[in-house]
Amino acid sequence: MAENLLKAEGIYKSFVGVQALKNVTFEIKPGEIHCLAGENGSGKSTLIKIISGVYAPDSGSMEFAGKKYEKITPIEAIKSGIQVIYQDFSVFPNLTVMENLAFNSELADRRKFVNWKRMRKIATEAIAKIDFKVDLDALVGSLTVAEKQMIAISRALMFNTKLIIMDEPTTALTKKEVGNLFNIILKLKERGIAILFVSHKLNEVFEISDFFTILRSGELVASGNTADLDAKKFSYFMTGREFTAKRFEAKNISSEPILETKNIGIEGSFQDVSFDLHKGEIIGITGLLDSGRTELALSLFGILPIDTGSFKINGKQVKITNPQTAVAHKIGYLPEDRLSEGLFLNQSIADNIIISEIDRLTVFAGVLDTKKRTDEIARWVKELSIATPNPENACQTLSGGNQQRIVLAKWLALNLDILVLNGPTVGVDIGSKHDIHEILQNLANEGLALIIISDDLPEVLENCSRILVMKAGRVVSDLDAAKADEQMILSYMM
Amino acid sequence: MQTSWKTTIQKISRRNEPYVFLVLLALCILIEIRSGQFFSSNNLVDIASALIVPGLFAIGAFLVIISGGIDVSFPALASLSVYATTKFLLDINYQGGVWLAFVIALSIGALLGAFNGLFIGYFKLPALIVTLGSSSVFKGIMQGALNSKQLTTIPVGMRAFGTSSLFIAKNPVSGLTARMPVASIAFVIVLILVYLMMRYTMFGRGIYGIGGSEVSAHRAGFGVRKTKFTLYVMVGMIASLAGVIRVCMMQQAHPTNMLGMELNIIAGVVLGGTAITGGRGTLLGCILGTLLIVIVENSLILIGVPTSWKSVFIGSLIIIGTGASAFQVMRMNRVKSIKIRSKEAF
């Protein structure tokens, strides 16, 4: 049995009265790929920050590479071989690849002057370690997310690194890029570097990790061999709830379609898309990242107006040229990046809920009726079970799942006919994901027509009645969800 | 070899400097054709000497903008430090050389810059708000505590420095002459030092880094607060240097005549391709942009544009110039369109 590389024992940490970690014990061996999972607010990031020295624990002890620490400072952590790769990769988009790679070691050596030759040498050596090929003089801002990540990894490897902590490294990657990343992680493992991999994506945890640790509300709920874990146990440990996946069955589909699209297309994005959408139905649209699915979603809401083809709503020909006309036709849109497109994060939860129906809540001359406002807010907080002590709190105080519910509430307040959802549960933890699915299915049964655009195949299969698969700008198949499976969809997508 | 040529050209075409240079050249040629006076030796020397003060201010503004900040207080800062210096030297009836004026003004400038740097670097307040505030404070001190009035005479050392020249250019046709002031050496020295600092010191690269991503800079190990503080001190000193030169060249200290320069200076820097959001831009572009503004301000009269139209012209130039760089950014960020396959391909 190999010695532990890191052992953190009995870690406690609280922030102004909130207990973030309670008696957490964590260990990792050299060359081990260890997955740390947990919902938002479970204490994952706090634990990472304690290991990397950003926070000092209230009590508990740490041992790294045979040396005991009461608390470790960030510099000690780096010097003893701990590197963290944050979700934003900590790169400088305005500088070249070379500088991004060389800065850390130049600063660690306390250099005052720049020697461009030496920087180039450092950078060349750094990327050679993981066989990463890139133009050293390119600006990092012009690279893809995956390339930025490779830069962060190469940079992390320059310091006799023994442990690399990756915070949700796969969030913005395509399937192929995730594959490449995993290959590199496996190579690092061969070299005896331990990887702590933070994720709440089930399939990734199973694919890559040897061991797992799951936190819930600051407590360690399970840890052990990934081989002994299955999907059901995993979601149970994460949420403390048992889920039975409920496949959606459309109960009351309207006889007439509410929306018909005929040969719609946008030059350079997608072409010849025709489908009918009925009330009470959920259509799934799936495809790879550049299949045109996002552009199709945006065109339905008028953000990218179509060049060719036509829309019919309730049998009448209509033009959707901007979001205002879409809303006038009772179409709502839940954006992919809800943080930047769907919410006013600094504003209160309450105002975010009522923003889209604010015109209806006035007494006269645009003066707001406070009674109506309060009632409306209370109604939606209750209906969508948004977890907040006070709806006047800023929106950014909520978890991802709750934020997504507010975006939903905002639209539902308008009594829509059609709701287009782009990646409704991206970045949302398992519990909230389940709740959001339940809400969507109920909405459909109450007569709303929904379109879900997503590359999360289990999500599409579970919640849709029909699935359109897109590839290179065209719909390549129109499947009955009840008869489809993941393998089948994948074969159309690829 | 051919592909590398192509990529080099592509890279250059994405930068702002060549465009600014072309616009500058076109303007010069236009003025030359209309007046026949532009490329005369005295006019060129006049422009070079008119560039000194705005050029120094622009270098300071450039540094701050690269770091992701903005400084609108430099004219007030320069006015206060040079006014206080001149007044003090007159009061003690100083008869020595100009060096003492530089030493005092630069010290005051460093102190006032430190005031900005303290609030922006250490207390993390937004640079625009801080410098708007400090600009008022500096003006207030000058008008209240120093009871500022125009000083029509300046100490003899400063006067001598202001009138001394490197060489005099004489137009053989018109007989007009122009002096190249000694102060131009100060400008060239600052320019070279700042260039070397930005390219060959970790401090300079840190300024670019902070402008690109402050969080990343902190995580990489740059002393973000200290870098910003030092930067504002440095900018205070550069602005005060410009202030002293301005007073020497004008042969009088006027408390308010530098105020209001900040907008044209910042516009020139941005016109030269420095991103107002920080992190991107070159010193060359900064100087080209400033030169463009200086030429418009000084030479439009040569082609018969009345001075009242000058600000309209400068304003349009700024809108077109910044619009062009915004357009370039948009072009670079445009969603790559995908190739739609024909039906037969499936």
Side-chain angles (χ1 to χ4, degrees):
Chain A
M1 188 117 184
E3 276 290 297
N4 278 330
L5 174 65
L6 167 75
K7 184 167 186 179
E9 232 178 343
I11 302 285
Y12 282 84
K13 175 78 190 171
S14 66
F15 298 100
V16 270
V18 182
Q19 194 72 40
L21 288 177
K22 268 174 272 179
N23 193 19
V24 171
T25 294
F26 174 82
E27 45 195 57
I28 188 166
K29 293 185 180 58
E32 173 181 319
I33 301 177
H34 195 116
C35 177
L36 178 63
E39 303 206 277
N40 292 322
S42 61
K44 283 178 300 187
S45 1
T46 312
L47 182 59
I48 292 178
K49 285 184 176 155
I50 285 176
I51 295 174
S52 59
V54 180
Y55 295 153
D58 297 339
S59 65
S61 68
M62 242 177 85
E63 197 180 320
F64 186 79
K67 209 174 153 196
K68 272 200 185 295
Y69 297 91
E70 278 279 308
K71 59 178 187 199
I72 196 163
T73 65
I75 309 254
E76 280 173 337
I78 291 171
K79 280 195 177 148
S80 55
I82 300 174
Q83 284 281 329
V84 185
I85 298 177
Y86 292 94
Q87 258 180 304
D88 61 5
F89 310 134
S90 305
V91 290
F92 301 99
N94 57 323
L95 300 177
T96 60
V97 172
M98 174 170 55
E99 284 187 87
N100 269 280
L101 286 166
F103 268 169
N104 290 38
S105 69
E106 292 288 278
L107 285 164
D109 292 346
R110 302 193 158 275
R111 295 207 192 270
K112 292 270 176 270
F113 294 97
V114 178
N115 179 337
W116 291 93
K117 250 191 200 154
R118 187 179 58 225
M119 294 243 276
R120 188 169 292 275
K121 194 166 150 262
I122 293 172
T124 316
E125 283 168 11
I127 55 171
K129 279 192 182 169
I130 55 168
D131 289 328
F132 172 46
K133 295 205 169 45
V134 66
D135 177 8
L136 287 179
D137 296 310
L139 291 183
V140 166
S142 67
L143 303 182
T144 66
V145 178
E147 286 171 320
K148 285 180 196 157
Q149 186 170 47
M150 291 303 144
I151 288 177
I153 295 176
S154 327
R155 195 171 58 189
L157 288 174
M158 295 194 304
F159 301 89
N160 182 30
T161 305
K162 299 192 184 82
L163 170 67
I164 296 185
I165 302 173
M166 295 189 187
D167 192 3
E168 301 203 18
T170 58
T171 309
L173 301 188
T174 64
K175 268 199 161 59
K176 205 177 144 204
E177 290 165 343
V178 171
N180 288 341
L181 174 67
F182 283 1
N183 281 337
I184 287 176
I185 290 182
L186 291 174
K187 270 185 208 152
L188 297 179
K189 174 191 166 79
E190 279 169 23
R191 271 192 248 161
I193 295 171
I195 313 270
L196 177 57
F197 186 94
V198 181
S199 176
H200 52 228
K201 287 190 192 158
L202 199 69
N203 50 351
E204 288 170 2
V205 175
F206 289 124
E207 189 179 338
I208 191 81
S209 66
D210 309 320
F211 292 93
F212 70 92
T213 294
I214 299 177
L215 298 180
R216 188 170 73 226
S217 321
E219 281 178 277
L220 180 93
V221 287
S223 67
N225 240 319
T226 313
D228 304 333
L229 194 66
D230 64 33
K232 215 166 167 184
K233 276 190 202 158
F234 183 75
S235 15
Y236 176 71
F237 287 142
M238 293 265 285
T239 60
R241 291 151 61 184
E242 301 254 18
F243 296 111
T244 40
K246 205 172 80 190
R247 258 206 175 189
F248 174 65
E249 280 168 50
K251 284 187 192 122
N252 48 3
I253 294 186
S254 63
S255 51
E256 293 302 314
I258 173 102
L259 169 76
E260 296 163 70
T261 73
K262 201 155 187 267
N263 303 329
I264 59 169
I266 294 175
E267 184 68 42
S269 297
F270 61 91
Q271 212 172 32
D272 261 342
V273 175
S274 306
F275 62 88
D276 293 349
L277 175 69
H278 299 256
K279 279 191 168 186
E281 198 178 25
I282 306 181
I283 291 189
I285 298 178
T286 188
L288 296 176
L289 213 52
D290 53 359
S291 60
R293 60 180 160 100
T294 304
E295 290 78 3
L296 176 61
L298 294 176
S299 75
L300 294 172
F301 192 57
I303 296 174
L304 291 175
I306 50 170
D307 306 330
T308 53
S310 62
F311 289 117
K312 267 188 190 170
I313 285 181
N314 282 322
K316 262 187 276 173
Q317 193 103 359
V318 296
K319 280 204 164 64
I320 300 174
T321 48
N322 54 39
Q324 285 85 340
T325 52
V327 171
H329 291 114
K330 298 197 161 192
I331 302 175
Y333 175 68
L334 197 97
E336 195 167 24
D337 184 354
R338 64 180 172 275
L339 301 182
S340 67
E341 293 177 39
L343 282 177
F344 303 98
L345 281 177
N346 302 320
Q347 303 282 328
S348 70
I349 296 164
D351 286 336
N352 269 289
I353 292 176
I354 56 155
I355 181 67
S356 55
E357 56 164 347
I358 201 153
D359 290 341
R360 286 201 282 119
L361 301 178
T362 52
V363 195
F364 66 93
V367 177
L368 209 58
D369 183 337
T370 45
K371 171 90 176 49
K372 265 198 211 163
R373 176 177 179 272
T374 328
D375 290 350
E376 196 65 15
I377 291 159
R379 179 161 86 93
W380 288 110
V381 168
K382 190 160 161 270
E383 195 138 322
L384 298 172
S385 47
I386 293 166
T388 174
N390 180 1
E392 297 299 333
N393 285 353
C395 218
Q396 57 197 2
T397 60
L398 293 176
S399 68
N402 276 308
Q403 287 179 0
Q404 192 71 317
R405 286 180 210 186
I406 290 182
V407 186
L408 262 178
K410 193 176 92 176
W411 286 116
L412 295 177
L414 278 176
N415 293 321
L416 298 167
D417 286 341
I418 302 168
L419 184 59
V420 182
L421 302 109
N422 196 355
T425 57
V426 172
V428 168
D429 51 49
I430 298 186
S432 303
K433 189 171 174 176
H434 180 80
D435 295 341
I436 288 172
H437 287 166
E438 207 168 85
I439 293 170
L440 296 181
Q441 298 194 3
N442 287 339
L443 287 170
N445 287 332
E446 283 162 23
L448 188 71
L450 292 112
I451 297 177
I452 295 178
I453 290 157
S454 172
D455 57 359
D456 180 347
L457 297 183
E459 170 171 271
V460 177
L461 282 165
E462 196 182 309
N463 294 291
C464 301
S465 35
R466 262 168 63 211
I467 300 169
L468 307 181
V469 185
M470 290 190 76
K471 181 182 175 183
R474 283 176 190 278
V475 171
V476 287
S477 77
D478 185 342
L479 303 165
D480 182 349
K483 291 179 190 134
D485 59 42
E486 281 192 42
Q487 228 34 57
M488 190 167 152
I489 299 177
L490 274 174
S491 69
Y492 283 114
M493 261 164 67
M494 297 299 179
Chain B
M1 208 53 215
Q2 245 181 340
T3 50
S4 79
W5 255 107
K6 230 178 169 178
T7 49
T8 320
I9 288 172
Q10 258 178 359
K11 266 184 191 161
I12 289 173
S13 76
R14 282 203 207 105
R15 296 179 57 170
N16 240 21
E17 294 85 346
Y19 299 107
V20 181
F21 183 73
L22 288 179
V23 172
L24 197 59
L25 203 65
L27 184 70
C28 297
I29 291 170
L30 178 76
I31 298 172
E32 174 68 27
I33 291 170
R34 290 293 302 267
S35 68
Q37 295 297 313
F38 188 83
F39 289 111
S40 59
S41 54
N42 66 317
N43 189 50
L44 290 179
V45 170
D46 272 339
I47 285 173
S49 98
L51 179 67
I52 297 171
V53 173
L56 282 168
F57 279 143
I59 292 172
F62 166 79
L63 291 174
V64 170
I65 294 174
I66 288 290
S67 79
I70 186 96
D71 183 359
V72 294
S73 71
F74 60 85
L77 187 153
S79 301
L80 174 55
S81 53
V82 72
Y83 189 84
T85 306
T86 316
K87 195 163 172 153
F88 171 72
L89 293 180
L90 284 175
D91 285 352
I92 62 164
N93 198 15
Y94 174 71
Q95 299 293 328
V98 72
W99 62 270
L100 187 62
F102 279 121
V103 170
I104 296 173
L106 261 60
S107 313
I108 298 174
L111 202 68
L112 300 180
F115 178 82
N116 280 338
L118 184 69
F119 285 98
I120 296 167
Y122 284 94
F123 299 151
K124 296 185 177 164
L125 298 181
L128 180 64
I129 308 295
V130 171
T131 54
L132 272 173
S134 62
S135 177
S136 289
V137 171
F138 300 158
K139 273 184 246 173
I141 292 175
M142 195 161 47
Q143 281 156 9
L146 299 180
N147 190 20
S148 61
K149 289 190 289 278
Q150 188 172 353
L151 303 174
T152 45
T153 52
I154 57 172
V156 56
M158 289 170 77
R159 200 160 56 221
F161 177 74
T163 46
S164 60
S165 50
L166 285 178
F167 58 86
I168 295 174
K170 189 172 180 202
N171 189 330
V173 184
S174 63
L176 292 170
T177 58
R179 289 182 312 107
M180 180 63 98
V182 176
S184 57
I185 296 176
F187 171 61
V188 173
I189 290 175
V190 171
L191 192 63
I192 292 172
L193 286 180
V194 170
Y195 173 79
L196 293 176
M197 177 183 88
M198 291 307 271
R199 181 136 182 94
Y200 292 107
T201 69
M202 283 312 272
F203 177 78
R205 299 319 291 173
I207 293 173
Y208 274 103
I210 291 169
S213 165
E214 212 173 307
V215 179
S216 301
H218 182 69
R219 287 190 190 141
F222 283 110
V224 173
R225 287 183 295 184
K226 200 174 146 201
T227 306
K228 279 192 177 178
F229 178 78
T230 316
L231 173 68
Y232 281 94
V233 170
M234 201 179 276
V235 169
M237 292 169 75
I238 295 175
S240 298
L241 176 69
V244 175
I245 292 174
R246 168 106 170 175
V247 164
C248 294
M249 281 169 70
M250 289 182 63
Q251 301 283 299
Q252 51 167 292
H254 196 288
T256 58
N257 92 358
M258 276 187 279
L259 304 183
M261 281 177 82
E262 63 272 17
L263 290 184
N264 274 358
I265 298 289
I266 292 170
V269 174
V270 174
L271 210 52
T274 305
I276 195 81
T277 46
R280 271 187 305 113
T282 62
L283 206 50
L284 174 69
C286 156
I287 297 301
L288 284 176
T290 311
L291 187 60
L292 188 58
I293 298 266
V294 167
I295 290 179
V296 170
E297 283 199 325
N298 286 278
S299 301
L300 271 193
I301 195 128
L302 289 179
I303 55 172
V305 178
T307 36
S308 48
W309 282 94
K310 197 172 70 183
S311 53
V312 174
F313 200 90
I314 292 181
S316 328
L317 200 65
I318 292 167
I319 294 173
I320 295 167
T322 46
S325 43
F327 177 73
Q328 276 198 318
V329 171
M330 209 168 72
R331 209 178 52 178
M332 270 169 73
N333 293 348
R334 195 165 45 192
V335 191
K336 274 184 226 142
S337 69
I338 58 161
K339 224 177 136 188
I340 299 177
R341 271 196 243 172
S342 67
K343 252 190 181 139
E344 293 74 45
F346 292 111

